[in-house]
Amino acid sequence: MLRKILIANRGEIAVRIIRACAEMGIRSVAIYSEADRFALHVKKADESYCIGSEPVAGYLNVYGLVNLAAATGCDAIHPGYGFLSENAQFAKACADRGLIFIGPAAEVIERMGDKTEARKAMIAAGLPVTPGSAGNLDTVDEALEVAEAIGYPVMLKATSGGGGRGIRRCDSAEELRRNYDRVISEAGKAFGRAEVFLEKCIVNPRHIEVQVLADQHGNTIHLYERDCSIQRRNQKLIEIAPSPQLGEAQRQYIGGLAVLAAKAVGYTNAGTVEFLLDDQDRFYFMEMNTRVQVEHTITETITGVDIVEEQIRVAAGLPLRFRQEEIRRRGYAIQFRVNAEDPQNNFLPSFGRISRYYAPGGPGVRTDTAIYTGYEIPPFYDSMLAKVIVSALSWEDAIKRGERALRDMGLFGIKTTIPYYLEILRHPEFRSGQFDTGFVEKHPELIHYSHKPRPEVLASVIAAAMAAHTGL
Ligand code: ADP
Ligand code: ADP
Ligand code: MG
């Protein structure tokens, strides 16, 4: 087993990994920028090292991190999500230094991180893939030709894109011509590779993804699916496991496809195969994420499998502890990404000091976060502050629990997406369990909630004022 792991990340996912290490008796090493000096992962790890004054550069410093891991006697590095998690050079640098990278092999990251290469591999493996360009596009004329052949609308996508960025829908040749250079230059800036490809736009699709786990002994299993259709600008807001939109046969089918995909590329460790489901109930492979995902929590909740622990065990060379038929699921889990954003101001990031925070509790509620009362949110990073995960035996009860937990949560001093999520939870379309990736855009009215204090809050405020007045 591994003895000491460097966590090449920050925030809630660093804390999540530290927790797994603590339970497994593994020492954890945290890293932090100056801006993160007071971050929770720094306090929770067994050891912490400052990696410089630049807010982001240190977290992306491949050789600096590999050297630090070696110098501090670590035998492995966990990359979390974002940052270097899908960087093949980082995985390779670890291997070259005799360190275990907790993720798949560098070649697999490289292949699946390149969306056109991944599409080719999946077509070869026999998976259904959205119609699109054979590879990267060389010229706008080639783009127009491909679009003509597959039909509009099309999606112009950055080949090495991620995080919902570098994707543009084009409804006509004019739009495609207009967006082409823009997306190429965005791709170059955001992902370091100015390459794009085209695929057919699936209109009003559902985003369904399957969690897979594979060991180094040829065992590959899936942990069922998640529905991530509640998105804004191609970024997930609320995730659900299992999808309330799938029947049992579809569930088995897509689980099998994901295992087939993973096996076809010699995948090891935890990964996610993302699909789109169209209105004719056809699935299309979209991409594979070769890392732990933000929403791994809801799969853990319905299956009882600790995905981060399995990642560590598999990376250490141990076989999976479960066979496919031993994976049971129970009930529904919903995750809310609580972002420091103001929904009523175009989701503008809302940084600053958290004047008071307390986590929601009670049955079926989990909170993964790195915030605490008095924490000052630095403006340099992702706006996701916390993940609230609720679960119950039925879809209806999971929704009720979600409403209760979000109200239960105390988070003051900044604006968050919580009131917006409460509106979504009340909406009949959401409650019906039948919605597609257009839900957020179709319901702009949901951001017009009011800030009226709830009756019980108002009552306690009045009581306190009266007590102060009468000197009681
Ligand atoms: P998930 O599929 O786990 O929900 P997200 O798409 O929400 O992942 O991305 C998780 C985090 O990783 C976000 O902070 C996102 O900005 C970042 N991220 C994902 N892919 C990339 C990439 N290729 N380049 C830069 N950042 C990325
Ligand atoms: P990322 O790497 O940023 O996660 P994805 O390829 O997974 O990018 O796409 C992110 C989201 O964009 C999807 O969940 C979906 O909502 C939308 N999207 C991507 N490709 C298509 C498509 N061909 N048709 C319709 N929607 C798409
Ligand atoms: Mg994706």
Side-chain angles (χ1 to χ4, degrees):
M1 211 350 131
L2 306 179
R3 288 172 298 109
K4 193 169 177 183
I5 297 177
L6 181 131
I7 297 146
N9 217 299
R10 63 178 301 283
E12 69 84 19
I13 193 64
V15 173
R16 167 73 187 88
I17 298 162
I18 291 166
R19 287 183 171 140
C21 290
E23 289 180 12
M24 296 173 80
I26 298 171
R27 276 186 77 78
S28 53
V29 176
I31 55 167
Y32 63 96
S33 64
E34 289 291 355
D36 268 341
R37 183 166 292 278
F38 301 106
L40 197 63
H41 71 284
V42 180
K43 301 179 212 262
K44 293 253 182 218
D46 294 315
E47 297 170 29
S48 308
Y49 298 91
C50 182
I51 46 160
S53 55
E54 279 275 327
V56 178
Y59 292 108
L60 295 174
N61 182 351
V62 169
Y63 293 99
L65 295 179
V66 169
N67 287 338
L68 179 62
T72 52
C74 289
D75 33 30
I77 297 187
H78 197 307
Y81 56 70
F83 292 123
L84 294 172
S85 61
E86 294 180 277
N87 183 310
Q89 271 130 35
F90 187 51
K92 184 159 185 310
C94 289
D96 290 347
R97 200 61 196 265
L99 292 162
I100 292 173
F101 174 82
I102 302 177
E107 305 78 63
V108 177
I109 297 177
E110 180 145 36
R111 194 160 171 207
M112 299 314 270
D114 180 312
K115 290 185 182 184
T116 52
E117 286 303 314
R119 284 169 55 86
K120 285 181 207 164
M122 293 302 111
I123 291 168
L127 266 84
V129 176
T130 39
S133 52
N136 291 326
L137 299 163
D138 289 322
T139 60
V140 67
D141 289 328
E142 188 187 348
L144 290 163
E145 215 170 284
V146 175
E148 208 55 57
I150 62 178
Y152 291 93
V154 295
M155 286 288 200
L156 190 56
K157 296 172 79 165
T159 303
S160 35
R165 287 167 303 150
I167 302 174
R168 197 70 57 93
R169 177 180 161 146
C170 305
D171 287 314
S172 64
E174 294 75 69
E175 258 190 310
L176 177 55
R177 200 170 285 143
R178 203 155 5 110
N179 285 324
Y180 187 78
D181 289 330
R182 200 179 299 165
V183 177
I184 286 198
S185 104
E186 276 172 13
K189 275 189 221 131
F191 311 112
R193 280 174 64 185
E195 293 164 342
V196 295
F197 70 103
L198 261 188
E199 65 182 30
K200 189 158 183 64
C201 176
I202 308 298
V203 181
N204 303 331
R206 286 143 293 166
H207 174 122
I208 310 284
E209 59 181 39
V210 180
Q211 176 72 55
V212 295
L213 279 178
D215 64 19
Q216 299 178 34
H217 307 278
N219 305 304
T220 306
I221 61 170
H222 71 80
L223 301 180
Y224 296 104
E225 84 285 357
R226 299 182 282 255
D227 192 318
C228 310
S229 303
I230 303 295
Q231 308 181 346
R232 177 175 176 272
R233 301 199 171 156
N234 305 322
Q235 290 172 346
K236 301 161 184 168
L237 297 178
I238 298 175
E239 297 111 332
I240 302 149
S243 171
Q245 323 210 44
L246 295 195
E248 210 44 46
Q250 286 174 302
R251 178 163 295 125
Q252 296 303 331
Y253 168 68
I254 199 170
L257 278 188
V259 168
L260 183 70
K263 282 190 169 158
V265 295
Y267 199 84
T268 54
N269 216 287
T272 299
V273 187
E274 296 189 334
F275 297 89
L276 292 175
L277 176 59
D278 74 8
D279 50 13
Q280 308 293 311
D281 277 349
R282 284 175 302 214
F283 286 103
Y284 299 94
F285 167 83
M286 182 164 56
E287 67 155 345
M288 182 163 193
N289 292 137
T290 57
R291 55 173 165 86
V292 69
Q293 279 194 282
V294 176
E295 59 273 24
H296 72 282
T297 55
I298 50 176
T299 300
E300 293 185 326
T301 301
I302 62 160
T303 61
V305 175
D306 181 328
I307 292 172
V308 177
E309 181 178 353
E310 286 311 310
Q311 283 194 291
I312 294 171
R313 289 176 54 94
V314 162
L318 294 170
L320 284 177
R321 284 181 290 179
F322 318 93
R323 288 194 309 262
Q324 186 66 61
E325 57 274 21
E326 290 170 310
I327 302 297
R328 299 262 178 276
R329 67 187 167 84
R330 198 174 157 82
Y332 283 87
I334 310 176
Q335 171 173 282
F336 303 92
R337 296 192 187 198
V338 177
N339 296 337
E341 293 168 2
D342 181 2
Q344 297 187 323
N345 193 1
N346 203 22
F347 291 81
L348 194 76
S350 169
F351 301 110
R353 185 173 174 277
I354 294 169
S355 55
R356 199 149 56 91
Y357 165 68
Y358 45 86
V365 180
R366 163 179 173 179
T367 313
D368 278 25
T369 186
I371 62 166
Y372 53 84
T373 295
Y375 178 64
E376 180 97 28
I377 308 162
F380 312 110
Y381 309 103
D382 209 89
S383 61
M384 193 182 75
L385 283 189
K387 309 190 296 202
V388 175
I389 301 103
V390 298
S391 60
L393 289 179
S394 71
W395 169 237
E396 291 73 22
D397 287 347
I399 292 175
K400 284 187 214 158
R401 188 154 278 163
E403 292 181 306
R404 193 270 291 165
L406 291 179
R407 290 217 167 88
D408 216 0
M409 187 169 190
L411 183 41
F412 303 93
I414 49 151
K415 292 269 197 315
T416 76
T417 44
I418 291 174
Y420 177 58
Y421 294 157
L422 284 168
E423 294 301 307
I424 293 180
L425 282 174
R426 281 160 45 137
H427 198 276
E429 193 176 324
F430 181 83
R431 295 176 90 95
S432 77
Q434 307 296 315
F435 38 75
D436 57 52
T437 60
F439 177 88
V440 163
E441 217 174 313
K442 256 186 303 190
H443 298 290
E445 76 280 5
L446 296 180
I447 61 166
H448 298 305
Y449 50 81
S450 74
H451 286 291
K452 272 201 303 277
R454 300 191 307 278
E456 66 274 21
V457 175
L458 210 55
S460 68
V461 169
I462 293 168
M466 282 170 64
H469 186 69
T470 55
L472 285 173

